[in-house]
Amino acid sequence: MERLQKIIAAAGIASRREAEKIILAGRVKVNSKVVNELGVKADPSRDKIIVDGKPLMAKTKSYYMFYKPRGVVTTMKDPEGRKCISDFVKGLGERVYPVGRLDYNTEGLLLLTNDGELAQKLTHPSYEIRKTYRVKVLGIVPLAKLDKLRMGVELEDGLTAPATVDLIGYDREREMTEFNITIHEGRNRQVRRMCDAIGFPVRDLQRTKMGPLALRGLGRGKVRELDDDEVQLLMKI
Ligand code: URA
Protein backbone atom coordinates (compact mmCIF):
# COMPACT_ATOMS: atom_id res chain seq x y z
CA MET A 1 0.00 0.00 0.00
CA GLU A 2 1.33 3.41 -0.95
CA ARG A 3 0.11 6.95 -0.73
CA LEU A 4 -2.05 7.90 -3.67
CA GLN A 5 0.04 10.93 -4.61
CA LYS A 6 3.12 8.71 -4.79
CA ILE A 7 1.37 6.22 -7.06
CA ILE A 8 0.12 8.99 -9.35
CA ALA A 9 3.57 10.56 -9.48
CA ALA A 10 5.18 7.18 -10.18
CA ALA A 11 2.85 6.76 -13.16
CA GLY A 12 4.41 9.90 -14.63
CA ILE A 13 1.22 11.96 -14.67
CA ALA A 14 2.41 14.70 -12.34
CA SER A 15 4.94 15.55 -9.69
CA ARG A 16 4.04 14.50 -6.18
CA ARG A 17 3.11 18.08 -5.30
CA GLU A 18 0.91 18.39 -8.39
CA ALA A 19 -0.59 14.98 -7.66
CA GLU A 20 -1.70 16.26 -4.25
CA LYS A 21 -3.50 19.15 -5.95
CA ILE A 22 -5.16 16.77 -8.41
CA ILE A 23 -6.39 14.67 -5.49
CA LEU A 24 -7.69 17.66 -3.52
CA ALA A 25 -9.55 18.85 -6.64
CA GLY A 26 -11.56 15.62 -6.62
CA ARG A 27 -10.15 14.37 -9.92
CA VAL A 28 -9.11 10.95 -8.59
CA LYS A 29 -11.24 7.89 -8.01
CA VAL A 30 -10.15 4.71 -6.26
CA ASN A 31 -12.41 1.74 -6.96
CA SER A 32 -15.18 4.00 -8.21
CA LYS A 33 -15.10 6.36 -5.20
CA VAL A 34 -13.77 9.91 -5.38
CA VAL A 35 -10.82 10.44 -3.03
CA ASN A 36 -10.34 14.17 -2.39
CA GLU A 37 -8.23 14.09 0.73
CA LEU A 38 -4.56 13.39 1.28
CA GLY A 39 -3.22 10.45 3.21
CA VAL A 40 -5.26 7.76 1.48
CA LYS A 41 -3.26 4.69 0.52
CA ALA A 42 -3.88 2.27 -2.32
CA ASP A 43 -2.35 -0.77 -3.96
CA PRO A 44 -1.77 -0.11 -7.67
CA SER A 45 -1.82 -3.83 -8.46
CA ARG A 46 -5.24 -4.34 -6.89
CA ASP A 47 -7.06 -1.02 -6.80
CA LYS A 48 -8.58 0.66 -9.83
CA ILE A 49 -7.20 4.18 -9.80
CA ILE A 50 -8.75 6.68 -12.18
CA VAL A 51 -7.41 10.18 -12.83
CA ASP A 52 -9.59 12.54 -14.87
CA GLY A 53 -11.60 9.55 -16.06
CA LYS A 54 -8.60 7.57 -17.29
CA PRO A 55 -7.40 4.39 -15.58
CA LEU A 56 -3.96 4.88 -14.14
CA MET A 57 -2.79 1.31 -14.42
CA ALA A 58 -4.38 -1.94 -15.37
CA LYS A 59 -5.09 -4.05 -12.37
CA THR A 60 -3.31 -7.36 -12.46
CA LYS A 61 -5.13 -9.27 -9.75
CA SER A 62 -8.54 -10.82 -10.27
CA TYR A 63 -11.12 -12.24 -7.90
CA TYR A 64 -14.08 -14.40 -8.84
CA MET A 65 -16.87 -16.16 -7.01
CA PHE A 66 -17.74 -19.63 -8.27
CA TYR A 67 -20.78 -21.73 -7.38
CA LYS A 68 -19.21 -25.16 -7.35
CA PRO A 69 -21.78 -27.84 -8.13
CA ARG A 70 -21.82 -31.23 -6.43
CA GLY A 71 -19.68 -33.83 -8.23
CA VAL A 72 -16.81 -31.47 -9.06
CA VAL A 73 -13.25 -31.83 -7.70
CA THR A 74 -11.63 -28.67 -6.30
CA THR A 75 -8.51 -28.93 -8.46
CA MET A 76 -7.52 -27.60 -11.86
CA LYS A 77 -6.80 -31.09 -13.24
CA ASP A 78 -8.10 -34.51 -12.31
CA PRO A 79 -6.09 -37.58 -13.27
CA GLU A 80 -9.28 -39.66 -13.00
CA GLY A 81 -11.05 -37.45 -15.53
CA ARG A 82 -13.73 -36.17 -13.17
CA LYS A 83 -15.14 -32.67 -13.63
CA CYS A 84 -12.88 -30.06 -12.04
CA ILE A 85 -12.66 -26.28 -11.68
CA SER A 86 -10.93 -25.72 -15.03
CA ASP A 87 -14.05 -27.03 -16.81
CA PHE A 88 -15.92 -23.94 -15.57
CA VAL A 89 -13.36 -21.15 -15.94
CA LYS A 90 -12.19 -21.58 -19.52
CA GLY A 91 -14.01 -18.46 -20.68
CA LEU A 92 -12.34 -16.11 -18.18
CA GLY A 93 -9.26 -15.58 -20.31
CA GLU A 94 -6.91 -15.75 -17.33
CA ARG A 95 -5.59 -18.33 -14.92
CA VAL A 96 -7.18 -18.36 -11.52
CA TYR A 97 -7.00 -20.88 -8.71
CA PRO A 98 -9.38 -21.95 -5.97
CA VAL A 99 -8.93 -20.57 -2.46
CA GLY A 100 -9.18 -23.59 -0.19
CA ARG A 101 -11.37 -26.49 -1.18
CA LEU A 102 -14.81 -28.02 -0.99
CA ASP A 103 -15.41 -31.79 -0.95
CA TYR A 104 -16.40 -33.51 -4.18
CA ASN A 105 -20.00 -33.73 -2.95
CA THR A 106 -20.20 -30.29 -1.33
CA GLU A 107 -21.59 -27.46 -3.40
CA GLY A 108 -21.45 -23.72 -3.00
CA LEU A 109 -19.21 -20.70 -2.71
CA LEU A 110 -15.62 -21.04 -3.80
CA LEU A 111 -13.35 -18.08 -4.32
CA LEU A 112 -11.05 -18.09 -7.36
CA THR A 113 -8.09 -15.75 -7.74
CA ASN A 114 -4.59 -15.28 -9.11
CA ASP A 115 -3.63 -13.40 -5.93
CA GLY A 116 -1.52 -16.02 -4.19
CA GLU A 117 -0.84 -13.85 -1.16
CA LEU A 118 -4.53 -13.34 -0.41
CA ALA A 119 -5.31 -17.01 -1.08
CA GLN A 120 -2.72 -18.02 1.47
CA LYS A 121 -4.09 -15.62 4.07
CA LEU A 122 -7.69 -16.69 3.58
CA THR A 123 -6.86 -20.35 4.06
CA HIS A 124 -4.50 -19.89 7.00
CA PRO A 125 -6.20 -20.96 10.25
CA SER A 126 -4.87 -17.93 12.14
CA TYR A 127 -7.10 -15.63 10.07
CA GLU A 128 -10.20 -17.53 11.23
CA ILE A 129 -12.36 -16.68 8.25
CA ARG A 130 -16.01 -17.45 9.04
CA LYS A 131 -17.67 -19.89 6.66
CA THR A 132 -21.39 -20.63 6.70
CA TYR A 133 -22.87 -23.89 5.44
CA ARG A 134 -26.47 -24.89 4.86
CA VAL A 135 -26.73 -28.48 6.01
CA LYS A 136 -29.35 -31.20 5.60
CA VAL A 137 -28.85 -34.26 7.75
CA LEU A 138 -30.70 -37.53 7.92
CA GLY A 139 -32.87 -37.74 11.05
CA ILE A 140 -34.67 -35.38 13.39
CA VAL A 141 -31.89 -33.73 15.41
CA PRO A 142 -32.83 -32.94 19.04
CA LEU A 143 -32.03 -29.37 20.11
CA ALA A 144 -29.53 -30.66 22.66
CA LYS A 145 -27.50 -32.20 19.83
CA LEU A 146 -27.46 -28.88 17.97
CA ASP A 147 -26.11 -27.38 21.21
CA LYS A 148 -23.32 -29.93 21.09
CA LEU A 149 -22.36 -28.67 17.63
CA ARG A 150 -22.41 -25.12 19.03
CA MET A 151 -20.19 -25.93 21.99
CA GLY A 152 -17.75 -28.23 20.22
CA VAL A 153 -17.56 -31.90 19.41
CA GLU A 154 -14.64 -34.23 19.86
CA LEU A 155 -13.16 -35.30 16.51
CA GLU A 156 -10.09 -37.46 15.95
CA ASP A 157 -8.04 -34.27 15.45
CA GLY A 158 -9.41 -32.62 18.60
CA LEU A 159 -12.33 -30.63 19.95
CA THR A 160 -13.97 -28.25 17.46
CA ALA A 161 -14.16 -24.54 18.28
CA PRO A 162 -17.54 -23.00 19.18
CA ALA A 163 -19.84 -22.73 16.16
CA THR A 164 -23.01 -20.81 15.37
CA VAL A 165 -25.93 -23.09 14.55
CA ASP A 166 -29.39 -21.89 13.44
CA LEU A 167 -32.12 -24.43 12.94
CA ILE A 168 -34.03 -23.89 9.69
CA GLY A 169 -36.57 -26.66 10.23
CA TYR A 170 -37.54 -30.31 10.28
CA ASP A 171 -38.91 -32.28 7.35
CA ARG A 172 -40.79 -34.94 9.31
CA GLU A 173 -42.00 -36.77 6.21
CA ARG A 174 -38.51 -37.32 4.85
CA GLU A 175 -36.97 -37.46 8.34
CA MET A 176 -34.49 -34.67 7.69
CA THR A 177 -33.22 -31.68 9.65
CA GLU A 178 -31.96 -28.52 7.98
CA PHE A 179 -29.76 -25.90 9.67
CA ASN A 180 -27.09 -23.27 9.05
CA ILE A 181 -23.72 -23.71 10.71
CA THR A 182 -20.91 -21.15 10.81
CA ILE A 183 -17.39 -22.29 11.64
CA HIS A 184 -14.04 -20.55 11.41
CA GLU A 185 -11.76 -23.56 11.38
CA GLY A 186 -10.93 -25.21 8.09
CA ARG A 187 -10.33 -28.82 8.93
CA ASN A 188 -10.76 -31.49 6.32
CA ARG A 189 -14.44 -32.54 5.92
CA GLN A 190 -15.16 -30.71 9.15
CA VAL A 191 -18.92 -30.21 8.91
CA ARG A 192 -19.51 -33.80 7.76
CA ARG A 193 -17.36 -35.14 10.59
CA MET A 194 -19.09 -32.91 13.18
CA CYS A 195 -22.49 -34.17 12.09
CA ASP A 196 -21.28 -37.79 12.09
CA ALA A 197 -19.99 -37.21 15.62
CA ILE A 198 -23.49 -36.34 16.88
CA GLY A 199 -24.94 -39.30 14.99
CA PHE A 200 -26.64 -37.50 12.08
CA PRO A 201 -24.96 -38.02 8.70
CA VAL A 202 -24.94 -35.17 6.17
CA ARG A 203 -27.08 -35.66 3.08
CA ASP A 204 -26.62 -32.22 1.58
CA LEU A 205 -23.93 -29.60 2.18
CA GLN A 206 -23.75 -26.15 0.65
CA ARG A 207 -21.35 -23.31 1.51
CA THR A 208 -23.35 -20.08 1.37
CA LYS A 209 -20.91 -17.55 2.87
CA MET A 210 -17.20 -17.03 3.21
CA GLY A 211 -16.00 -14.04 5.23
CA PRO A 212 -17.80 -10.99 3.83
CA LEU A 213 -18.94 -12.80 0.66
CA ALA A 214 -22.30 -14.48 0.08
CA LEU A 215 -23.33 -16.83 -2.72
CA ARG A 216 -26.77 -15.21 -3.08
CA GLY A 217 -27.98 -14.83 -6.63
CA LEU A 218 -25.29 -16.84 -8.41
CA GLY A 219 -26.46 -19.90 -10.35
CA ARG A 220 -24.97 -23.35 -9.84
CA GLY A 221 -21.84 -23.80 -11.99
CA LYS A 222 -21.62 -20.05 -12.68
CA VAL A 223 -18.67 -17.71 -12.13
CA ARG A 224 -18.77 -13.96 -11.63
CA GLU A 225 -16.10 -11.37 -10.91
CA LEU A 226 -16.26 -9.78 -7.46
CA ASP A 227 -17.30 -6.15 -7.54
CA ASP A 228 -15.06 -3.40 -6.15
CA ASP A 229 -16.85 -3.31 -2.80
CA GLU A 230 -16.44 -7.04 -2.33
CA VAL A 231 -12.73 -6.89 -3.16
CA GLN A 232 -12.31 -4.05 -0.66
CA LEU A 233 -14.05 -6.11 2.03
CA LEU A 234 -11.73 -9.02 1.33
CA MET A 235 -8.68 -6.77 1.59
CA LYS A 236 -9.81 -5.59 5.00
CA ILE A 237 -9.68 -9.09 6.45
N1 URA B 1 -16.99 -29.21 5.64
C1 URA B 1 -17.15 -30.38 5.00
O1 URA B 1 -17.44 -31.40 5.61
N2 URA B 1 -16.97 -30.39 3.66
C2 URA B 1 -16.66 -29.29 2.95
O2 URA B 1 -16.53 -29.36 1.74
C3 URA B 1 -16.51 -28.09 3.64
C4 URA B 1 -16.67 -28.07 4.99
Side-chain angles (χ1 to χ4, degrees):
M1 298 285 274
E2 290 192 319
R3 282 177 190 274
L4 208 45
Q5 59 266 39
K6 191 171 171 197
I7 298 171
I8 294 170
I13 290 185
S15 69
R16 219 181 279 187
R17 186 81 194 93
E18 287 163 345
E20 288 178 359
K21 284 188 192 154
I22 292 174
I23 294 168
L24 289 170
R27 290 160 57 192
V28 180
K29 279 186 184 170
V30 177
N31 300 323
S32 314
K33 286 193 197 82
V34 173
V35 172
N36 55 9
E37 52 180 348
L38 301 179
V40 172
K41 289 184 175 176
D43 179 348
S45 66
R46 286 178 178 152
D47 295 317
K48 203 158 74 189
I49 302 166
I50 307 238
V51 180
D52 291 333
K54 290 194 204 90
L56 192 61
M57 276 172 232
K59 67 177 178 57
T60 55
K61 304 230 166 97
S62 306
Y63 308 88
Y64 295 88
M65 183 188 292
F66 172 49
Y67 186 158
K68 179 185 117 45
R70 234 171 269 124
V72 174
V73 211
T74 310
T75 52
M76 298 312 283
K77 231 190 221 169
D78 183 54
E80 294 172 36
R82 292 173 296 180
K83 269 205 169 144
C84 55
I85 308 294
S86 48
D87 292 318
F88 296 87
V89 299
K90 290 209 174 88
L92 298 185
E94 59 185 332
R95 278 179 162 273
V96 285
Y97 303 91
V99 175
R101 58 184 291 279
L102 290 174
D103 297 337
Y104 183 68
N105 279 323
T106 301
E107 63 173 347
L109 199 165
L110 196 62
L111 196 62
L112 307 174
T113 184
N114 53 9
D115 182 347
E117 198 188 331
L118 184 86
Q120 215 175 5
K121 277 186 189 166
L122 291 179
T123 47
H124 197 277
S126 65
Y127 280 85
E128 304 203 333
I129 304 298
R130 288 161 59 86
K131 286 148 287 191
T132 301
Y133 298 85
R134 194 171 174 126
V135 193
K136 278 189 199 155
V137 298
L138 189 61
I140 301 296
V141 185
L143 296 181
K145 292 272 185 175
L146 292 181
D147 273 340
K148 260 203 98 34
L149 292 180
R150 288 187 183 104
M151 289 181 294
V153 290
E154 194 62 45
L155 302 179
E156 59 192 21
D157 48 2
L159 189 68
T160 59
T164 306
V165 177
D166 295 307
L167 179 66
I168 297 171
Y170 297 119
D171 181 341
R172 298 203 181 262
E173 228 165 75
R174 287 160 59 209
E175 295 241 342
M176 305 267 273
T177 305
E178 191 169 358
F179 56 90
N180 284 317
I181 183 166
T182 302
I183 58 173
H184 61 255
E185 299 170 288
R187 303 193 210 171
N188 197 20
R189 302 185 73 253
Q190 182 166 342
V191 176
R192 290 177 194 275
R193 289 194 292 136
M194 288 172 78
C195 293
D196 281 341
I198 59 159
F200 292 89
V202 167
R203 280 291 170 269
D204 219 30
L205 189 56
Q206 182 196 43
R207 181 153 72 197
T208 54
K209 288 187 193 157
M210 190 171 168
L213 306 176
L215 189 59
R216 245 188 341 259
L218 189 64
R220 198 176 270 131
K222 298 283 187 231
V223 186
R224 73 161 175 86
E225 194 160 11
L226 297 189
D227 64 33
D228 292 345
D229 290 342
E230 289 171 323
V231 174
Q232 288 312 300
L233 289 172
L234 270 187
M235 296 306 155
K236 279 195 197 136
I237 289 176

